Amino acid sequence: MAYRLPPLSSLRAFESAARHLSFTLAAAELCLTQSAISRQVQSLEEQLGVDLFVRRPRRLELTAAGETLLASLQDLFRQLAATLETIQAGPRRPVT
């Protein structure tokens, strides 16, 4: 089954910016520029056809859609991290 999803980089940029309510802090966390985070979030908003943030002078606020997406992404990223930890804790094959 093929899933039509936005790029993972855009989802990560949004999740970080939403968690921090700051493009600048998200950029520092992800080792990107503030403008790169802003462009990725804007691209995600265009792809989804909704605003995820209310942009105020020197401050961001999440829209209802942004809050919904943030909660879902945080759950998904936690689940993915737990799955990867489980896989890594299992038997390892020898490296050849």
Side-chain angles (χ1 to χ4, degrees), residues 28-68:
E29 179 179 303
L30 299 176
C31 300
L32 297 170
T33 64
Q34 183 272 342
S35 63
I37 297 293
S38 179
R39 282 192 310 271
Q40 288 183 354
V41 169
Q42 185 176 20
S43 175
L44 180 61
E45 289 175 321
E46 288 172 4
Q47 185 174 357
L48 297 176
V50 297
D51 289 332
L52 299 171
F53 290 103
V54 176
R55 290 154 175 87
R56 304 224 188 262
R58 299 183 183 247
R59 164 178 117 197
L60 291 175
E61 295 176 11
L62 287 168
T63 63
E67 289 177 5
T68 300

Side-chain angles (χ1 to χ4, degrees), residues 5-37:
L5 298 173
L8 182 57
S9 59
S10 295
L11 295 172
R12 288 185 67 220
F14 165 75
E15 189 276 337
S16 182
R19 188 168 19 89
H20 293 294
L21 292 176
S22 168
F23 290 163
T24 302
L25 293 176
E29 179 179 303
L30 299 176
C31 300
L32 297 170
T33 64
Q34 183 272 342
S35 63
I37 297 293

